[in-house]
Amino acid sequence: TPYLYDREPRSNGKAVSVTPIVRGERKLMNSELWHACAGPLVSLPPVGSLVVYFPQGHSEQVAASMQKETDGIPSYPNLPSKLICMLHNVTLHADTETDEVYAQMTLQPVNKYDQEALLLSDMGLKQNRQPAEFFCKTLTASDTSTHGGFSVPRRAAEKIFPPLDYAMQPPAQELMARDLHDQAWTFRHIYRGQPKRHLLTTGWSVFISSKRLCAGDSVLFIRDDKSQLLLGIKRTNRQQPALSSSVISSDSMHIGILAAAAHAAANNSPFTIFYNPRASPSEFVIPLAKYNKAMYAQVSLGMRFRMMFETEESGVRRYMGTITGVSDLDPIRWKSSQWRNLQVGWDESTAGERPSRVSIWDIEPVVTPFYICPPPFFRPKFPKQPSFPGNVGMSSFPLQ
């Protein structure tokens, strides 16, 4: 099956096949922990909703995973630059060796859809699956040494961990936390030192060595809705070793995903994709409501905008920028695609490696109001356009 070529290369140089999580065989993966490891900007669309799938963005994920320039991505004839699809199924996974999180999605291209499916897509934009109680820390050299332990910020320890008995000398307790694979890890939590600080000691070095963590990687602890203590990891982007010749080639992976999408588009048949939020430069399965909302934004050269980025400690920060151009990223292979069709410049010289091209649904245009007091609430009447479904029960395929 062509789409089974879409496998992520792992750090040991082997391609790992993906096995869906089946009820009854093992526990379903904890959604809160998965999303915490995926990052604060990741929000998967709900099952049954309408999405826009961009094969161009999917190819970018493969290129990033294979450490290959996107210029080398092969094209595929008769494949549209975007497909409206019904999202039939989503399962959450984590690689057993690296804890790298990814999602398996089953999509089916649709020519028509009803208002109920569109409403579900709109409701999905308002869902927030990020845990409310968590902390994330980038590991230092002392955190990963075989001596000492993991130094926990005081406020984080008091917020996430069970309270210590400070009548004890020194105050200490045993903590048990489960990872993405439901494996239990036990640590000794102690409050000691000069000045005093919270430390995880016994059991921590075993965890570090088992997960092969290095300084620069991140560890996060969350307390889920059942008050269970869970922990996950986010690895820094390290250079992967060269892939062996036994691994399926990058071109074959690209052709596999493009062939699957083209076949599905021609036959309106389901196809399966894998989305790796830590490896992919950007989401390539976008809620239709989010796409339609972005299409109403009247972008122009010189327009100011904000865009959210993840910070080091799994927080978010807005960066300001200016639109400097509007053009196809790849006019030869992906003509008239809205994927990364905005060229942008960033305000801050210290903004780091911000992308020079973004997609319109990733930004928040900054519009200067022409009034001092806000107008009364009203519902604007937009003219019906082919790119947006009207109020009728069934709508024609808007993106072809």
Side-chain angles (χ1 to χ4, degrees):
T1 307
Y3 58 71
L4 291 182
Y5 288 148
D6 186 20
R7 297 172 178 173
E8 297 297 335
R10 307 303 176 190
S11 58
N12 64 350
K14 297 179 181 178
V16 180
S17 61
V18 175
T19 303
I21 298 176
V22 180
R23 292 182 185 273
E25 291 187 0
R26 55 165 292 182
K27 284 187 177 182
L28 291 177
M29 188 158 293
N30 184 284
S31 177
E32 285 184 88
L33 182 58
W34 189 96
H35 279 88
C37 294
L41 300 178
V42 174
S43 181
L44 300 178
V47 171
S49 66
L50 293 165
V51 297
V52 186
Y53 165 70
F54 289 85
Q56 187 177 1
H58 197 171
S59 289
E60 279 191 11
Q61 176 180 279
V62 175
S65 300
M66 302 294 289
Q67 297 166 6
K68 183 176 181 179
E69 294 296 329
T70 53
D71 292 344
I73 296 175
S75 58
Y76 203 88
N78 303 322
L79 175 61
S81 62
K82 45 195 172 289
L83 296 171
I84 285 188
C85 299
M86 176 71 74
L87 179 60
H88 285 308
N89 190 44
V90 178
T91 51
L92 308 179
H93 304 262
D95 184 77
T96 54
E97 296 185 24
T98 65
D99 281 45
E100 185 179 23
V101 294
Y102 57 98
Q104 178 179 329
M105 302 184 192
T106 302
L107 306 174
Q108 182 171 6
V110 294
N111 290 321
K112 295 182 178 181
Y113 47 86
D114 55 28
Q115 289 297 109
E116 183 178 352
L118 184 63
L119 180 62
L120 186 59
S121 174
D122 188 40
M123 291 174 61
L125 298 180
K126 302 173 177 63
Q127 295 181 356
N128 182 12
R129 297 180 179 86
Q130 291 295 322
E133 303 289 335
F134 85 101
F135 82 88
C136 179
K137 183 189 175 186
T138 302
L139 299 176
T140 64
S142 61
D143 289 331
T144 57
S145 67
T146 55
H147 310 287
F150 176 50
S151 178
V152 184
R154 180 176 178 177
R155 291 181 63 182
E158 293 175 350
K159 181 180 180 182
I160 304 299
F161 297 161
L164 286 169
D165 181 2
Y166 288 97
M168 295 175 59
Q169 290 302 322
Q173 65 179 336
E174 186 177 89
L175 292 180
M176 192 272 286
R178 294 186 177 274
D179 64 12
L180 284 162
H181 311 288
D182 204 36
Q183 180 178 353
W185 299 88
T186 303
F187 309 107
R188 178 173 170 81
H189 172 209
I190 192 168
Y191 185 61
R192 71 179 186 195
Q194 192 62 40
K196 289 187 176 181
R197 54 185 179 148
H198 292 269
L199 294 169
L200 297 185
T201 55
T202 305
W204 179 253
S205 60
V206 174
F207 175 75
I208 288 291
S209 59
S210 298
K211 298 292 188 180
R212 298 189 296 276
L213 297 176
C214 302
D217 292 337
S218 297
V219 170
L220 56 90
F221 283 83
I222 76 167
R223 185 165 293 282
D224 69 3
D225 55 3
K226 298 178 182 178
S227 293
Q228 298 180 100
L229 191 62
L230 308 172
L231 82 162
I233 61 176
K234 293 197 295 186
R235 299 182 188 274
T236 187
N237 292 325
R238 291 194 288 270
Q239 187 71 24
Q240 300 291 333
L243 298 173
S244 66
S245 58
S246 63
V247 178
I248 193 166
S249 72
S250 175
D251 284 352
S252 295
M253 291 179 70
H254 285 297
I255 293 172
I257 65 171
L258 298 178
H263 179 269
N267 298 277
N268 286 352
S269 58
F271 65 110
T272 298
I273 65 164
F274 299 110
Y275 167 55
N276 184 331
R278 305 306 298 178
S280 184
S282 188
E283 291 179 315
F284 50 86
V285 177
I286 311 298
L288 178 60
K290 183 177 181 179
Y291 174 86
N292 281 334
K293 181 180 178 181
M295 290 303 102
Y296 272 112
Q298 299 296 319
V299 298
S300 58
L301 297 185
M303 175 177 281
R304 305 279 292 151
F305 68 90
R306 303 184 188 93
M307 185 170 172
M308 301 280 279
F309 289 92
E310 181 178 350
T311 64
E312 189 177 80
E313 302 296 337
S314 203
V316 293
R317 178 183 172 185
R318 286 182 174 87
Y319 284 89
M320 294 288 294
T322 305
I323 296 175
T324 59
V326 181
S327 63
D328 284 337
L329 173 62
D330 188 342
I332 304 300
R333 286 169 291 193
W334 303 106
K335 186 178 181 181
S336 300
S337 168
Q338 283 95 15
W339 181 261
R340 297 193 191 279
N341 69 332
L342 300 183
Q343 297 167 269
V344 298
W346 300 97
D347 287 8
E348 303 177 43
S349 58
T350 58
E353 295 183 2
R354 304 272 83 83
S356 59
R357 279 182 169 270
V358 299
S359 301
I360 188 172
W361 50 85
D362 291 328
I363 67 170
E364 177 188 348
V366 177
V367 181
T368 304
F370 292 98
Y371 42 79
I372 298 177
C373 298
F377 175 79
F378 67 95
R379 189 177 302 278
K381 296 181 179 179
F382 295 110
K384 293 181 181 179
Q385 297 179 1
S387 62
F388 190 83
N391 295 323
V392 295
M394 303 292 285
S395 299
S396 60
F397 189 48
L399 292 179
Q400 291 293 337

